[in-house]
Amino acid sequence: PSVGSARSVSPPPRSEPLATESPRIEPLQTEPLQTEPLQREPLQREPPQLRPRRLPASILSAALVAIVAAGAWVAMQTHRASRNPLADARFIPAATFATAAHAAAISRDGRYVALVAERDGRTDAWISEFGSEDYRNVTRGAARELVNPSVRTLGFSADSSLVSVWTRAADGSRPDDVAVFAAPTGGGELRPFMSNVAEIDWSPDGKRIVYHTTAPGDPMFVREAGAGDATGDAPVYDAPAGVHAHFPIWSPDGEFIYFVRGVPRDRWDIWRIRPSGSGLERITRHDTQVSYPVMLDRRTLMYLATDTDGSGPWIYTVDVERRIPHRVSSGLETYTSLSASRGGERLVATVAHRRRSLWRMPLVDGAGDGGGARAGDPTPLLADAGSPRIGRDFLLYTAARGDRQGIWSLADGTARELWSGARSRIPGAPAIAPDGRSIAFVGEQDGKTRLYVMDSDGSNGRVLADSLVLRGSPAWWPDGRSVVAAVVEDGEPHLTRIFLNGDAPRTLVSEYSVDPVWSPIGGFLVYSGADVGTTFPLRAAEVDGRPRPIPGVMLTRGARRVVFLNDRPTLIFLRGELAHKDLWIMDLQSGTQRPLAELPQDFLVGDFDVSADGTELILDRIEESSTLALIERHQ
């Protein structure tokens, strides 16, 4: 089926299960995560094919140790059993995937399980019966992009007869790029279900559907089930500018719609509103990454959230009347999706196992000018490291040790920690001053952000600003006397100049703006604008904050880093889908854009930097394997 011409249709009729339609996808084996230094071998250009096979019980048990530990941990907390819905839960060994698995969903009757996973370099939606190892491919390559952690990609109808699939075509910058398709759970063709929508959820009686679009503010509507188009849909909620609303779900009694509301990428909470659009209420106050809310009963809400130091996400639960959240997972695992059956007797979740590493990539053949530069093959450089920034004779990066994330320096083959703090997190990347003698970075501890500066050897560290809410990565002013960082005011980040001599901070850019990068010539900076659906624009400003025109570029959420190449008006950036991006290059004068490097499908870049002479890139690679967990609760 084509996903580019989606239109709304009534739900297709239920069909009987067809065993012959279901190719067998066995659990995929993943090797333990490496902790030793990486072997310096060239990266293969083509990703190897996955070889699915049944996991031995011992390997599967090891892969699920974090989940079992979580179950044991919550079971031992007998004094909390009254408020812990997982206290007596049974964790069922399921499957481990050598690549990332996302968007776990379970049908309302608890019979079917669906998830998004990759096989042979292609990502599809798969469905099976609860506890089974036989997975049927629902999308069969028809959907261009399924992986979006900001939306609930998969779902089931109220009567469990349909599995719904969110998908995105083109680059996602237009409202009609997104649509929801549906297929009978027992087997059958995937067909268009609702167009121009990002997420849907059926009311408990199956008579209404709540959805939101990708227009600014993610406006939410309620439609009568079976209606052919948006005519007559009732508006429910429209977020203020710069604020997003995702993961809408109905309460079991149909009286409320719960949803996640906040500012990308890490300031979210759960709210609720009546289907009429009245009675907006805030349920949680995490101000962190919050996602995948599910209702176990009329009062018990379960969801995923990170801690204030960025660790997690973990499973939380809250009584929607008392509104005191409790963490019910042990912290040994990282949950990425969560779903529950009607009544909460059965749940499914995906658990991620992530690691970051630094890779180097040469720029050759005319790297001094943007027109001729091309990239060579990436080779591994450093394990358990991220957010690289290249100095004149050293490499700066971030690394975590226990609950401490710190700034490290690599020089002459020796790594040394320059700064760290207890329960610390560095939400962006460090910035190196133009003369190479100083470093600026944002640190977050216990939910509070501070702007730090120190010498490049780690000495003379001090807090430059401790009363501002900061976002993303800072940048030094060209004269080295101030730092530009995104400061949140009235819920929206604005680039602000913060002075080393203690003068009052001064707003530089009044619109939504984060992650500034200074041009090496011309005295202007480039920054990321506000999210539009799953995309965001690149914009530019002069030294006095006035907008500077640049060729229009819309990039996909997931990696906002852009870098100027050498001393020319040439930008390198990441372009592609949410789950995978390639390196591109653009001449700001002509607007010409072209690929710089096509990366293998399993090579996900979270950040990068380019050397001052334009001969080398350092890439921050993120690798992820996943476990599917099945959970049964005793009522």
Side-chain angles (χ1 to χ4, degrees), residues 116-119 121-126 139 141 143-144 146-147 579 601:
V116 172
E118 179 187 325
R119 184 192 180 197
R122 193 181 75 190
T123 300
D124 281 299
W126 305 82
T139 51
R144 167 173 171 170
L146 296 170
V147 179
Q601 190 64 32

Side-chain angles (χ1 to χ4, degrees), residues 430-450:
I432 303 174
D435 61 8
R437 297 178 180 178
S438 301
I439 297 167
F441 62 96
V442 176
E444 183 174 347
Q445 294 171 288
D446 300 324
K448 184 175 183 179
T449 54
R450 297 177 176 87

Side-chain angles (χ1 to χ4, degrees), residues 579-635:
H580 177 78
K581 298 176 177 64
D582 294 317
L583 287 164
W584 280 64
I585 193 168
M586 178 178 70
D587 187 303
L588 285 179
Q589 294 178 336
S590 66
T592 303
Q593 304 176 33
R594 65 174 177 84
L596 178 65
E598 295 183 5
L599 300 170
Q601 190 64 32
D602 64 345
F603 202 100
L604 175 62
V605 176
D607 199 350
F608 69 96
D609 200 19
V610 62
S611 61
D613 60 5
T615 62
E616 184 177 57
L617 286 165
I618 302 294
L619 309 178
D620 173 0
R621 181 186 184 185
I622 302 172
E623 296 175 273
E624 182 175 315
S625 59
S626 300
T627 299
L628 177 67
L630 309 181
I631 306 168
E632 283 192 325
R633 295 174 58 230
H634 298 286
Q635 300 290 311

Side-chain angles (χ1 to χ4, degrees), residues 374-594:
R374 67 179 181 85
D377 292 331
T379 55
L381 173 64
L382 194 64
D384 302 320
S387 301
R389 294 296 183 265
I390 304 175
R392 293 179 180 175
D393 54 3
F394 64 93
L395 172 67
L396 212 61
Y397 62 95
T398 63
R401 299 294 183 267
D403 67 345
R404 307 167 70 93
Q405 187 179 25
I407 305 288
W408 289 67
S409 174
L410 179 66
D412 298 325
T414 301
R416 187 167 64 91
E417 186 179 66
L418 304 182
W419 179 93
S420 68
R423 302 181 308 279
S424 63
R425 184 174 76 100
I426 301 166
I432 303 174
D435 61 8
R437 297 178 180 178
S438 301
I439 297 167
F441 62 96
V442 176
E444 183 174 347
Q445 294 171 288
D446 300 324
K448 184 175 183 179
T449 54
R450 297 177 176 87
L451 180 63
Y452 294 87
V453 293
M454 63 183 177
D455 293 348
S456 58
D457 62 0
S459 63
N460 298 321
R462 64 186 177 97
V463 176
L464 186 60
D466 64 355
S467 60
L468 302 176
V469 180
L470 302 163
R471 295 288 180 271
S473 304
W476 285 88
W477 199 267
D479 63 7
R481 296 179 181 179
S482 59
V483 175
V484 178
V487 176
V488 177
E489 299 175 350
D490 299 325
E492 185 174 274
H494 305 281
L495 292 184
T496 301
R497 190 175 179 184
I498 303 170
F499 297 89
L500 269 64
N501 65 5
D503 287 353
R506 185 183 307 164
T507 300
L508 179 65
V509 179
S510 58
E511 69 169 356
Y512 188 109
S513 45
V514 293
D515 296 319
V517 177
W518 279 100
S519 167
I521 60 171
F524 67 95
L525 56 80
V526 174
Y527 60 89
S528 299
D531 287 19
V532 181
T534 58
T535 62
F536 65 91
L538 285 186
R539 304 199 186 282
E542 306 286 357
V543 293
D544 59 3
R546 290 182 297 111
R548 178 187 177 98
I550 61 171
V553 178
M554 292 293 291
L555 301 179
T556 308
R557 187 190 304 167
R560 292 179 178 265
R561 176 65 167 164
V562 299
V563 179
F564 279 91
L565 176 61
N566 213 328
D567 58 354
R568 302 181 65 83
T570 304
L571 277 180
I572 300 176
F573 50 84
L574 291 161
R575 161 166 279 172
E577 300 176 350
L578 287 166
H580 177 78
K581 298 176 177 64
D582 294 317
L583 287 164
W584 280 64
I585 193 168
M586 178 178 70
D587 187 303
L588 285 179
Q589 294 178 336
S590 66
T592 303
Q593 304 176 33
R594 65 174 177 84

Side-chain angles (χ1 to χ4, degrees), residues 150-222:
S150 296
V151 301
R152 194 185 302 270
T153 305
L154 304 178
F156 287 88
S157 60
D159 63 0
S160 302
S161 65
L162 294 175
V163 57
S164 63
V165 182
W166 168 89
T167 185
R168 190 186 76 161
D171 64 0
S173 60
R174 301 180 306 173
D176 58 357
D177 286 342
V178 297
V180 172
F181 284 66
T185 52
E189 182 183 358
L190 185 72
R191 291 190 275 176
F193 185 72
M194 291 180 68
S195 60
N196 306 335
V197 304
E199 292 177 275
I200 67 172
D201 189 49
W202 277 267
S203 63
D205 60 9
K207 296 181 179 180
R208 294 175 292 175
I209 295 175
V210 61
Y211 70 90
H212 73 81
T213 72
T214 58
D218 297 325
M220 195 183 307
F221 302 86
V222 168

